């Protein structure tokens, strides 16, 4: 099933920080992912706004949502290829304890 253009594949939120995963098609017919990270806040007029500027205290949440986005992409890419999870971990250089 093909997703409509400009529809996010996955959104991951930690408080007011959000990572959105997008699935795109390459010219060669392959699939690749892109991620946008943003922060929501209310301005002086009490209107919701978004920014890509993060303060020191936002960084742990940025790290969390980007890590979760990576995990989602890593696992999704393998599903489309039909790879086993352990094969993908080995390709990444992870040691697997059995």
């Amino acid at each position: 099933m093909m997703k409509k253009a400009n529809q996010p594949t996955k959104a991951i939120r930690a408080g007011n920080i959000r990572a959105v995963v997008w699935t795109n098609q390459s010219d060669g017919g392959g699939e690749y992912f892109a991620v946008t990270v943003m922060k929501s806040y209310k301005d002086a007029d009490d209107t919701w706004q978004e920014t890509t500027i993060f303060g020191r205290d936002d960084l742990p949440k940025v790290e969390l949502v980007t890590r979760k986005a990576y995990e989602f992409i890593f696992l999704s890419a393998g599903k489309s290829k039909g790879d086993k999870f352990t094969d993908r971990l080995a390709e990444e250089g992870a040691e697997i304890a059995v």
Side-chain angles (χ1 to χ4, degrees), residues 26 36 40-41 47 65 81 92:
S26 69
T36 55
S40 299
Y41 68 96
T47 304
V65 298
K81 292 179 185 176
E92 291 283 323

Side-chain angles (χ1 to χ4, degrees), residues 24-79:
N24 299 299
Q25 299 295 319
S26 69
D27 292 338
E31 186 176 80
Y32 67 96
F33 297 93
V35 178
T36 55
V37 179
M38 60 208 85
K39 172 182 169 179
S40 299
Y41 68 96
K42 283 191 175 182
D43 64 14
D45 296 327
D46 212 31
T47 304
W48 282 104
Q49 302 289 331
E50 290 185 332
T51 185
T52 56
I53 299 171
F54 306 100
R56 178 198 66 200
D57 295 337
D58 296 324
L59 296 179
K61 291 185 268 184
V62 170
E63 187 268 335
L64 175 63
V65 298
T66 55
R67 183 171 9 102
K68 293 295 183 183
Y70 174 77
E71 290 171 5
F72 173 79
I73 292 168
F74 185 77
L75 295 173
S76 295
K79 286 180 187 175

Side-chain angles (χ1 to χ4, degrees), residues 1-34:
M1 182 169 103
M2 186 79 96
K3 293 215 176 274
K4 291 182 181 179
N6 297 326
Q7 294 293 317
T9 303
K10 177 85 171 171
I12 301 152
R13 181 179 295 276
N16 63 334
I17 307 295
R18 182 170 46 130
V20 179
V21 179
W22 306 88
T23 304
N24 299 299
Q25 299 295 319
S26 69
D27 292 338
E31 186 176 80
Y32 67 96
F33 297 93

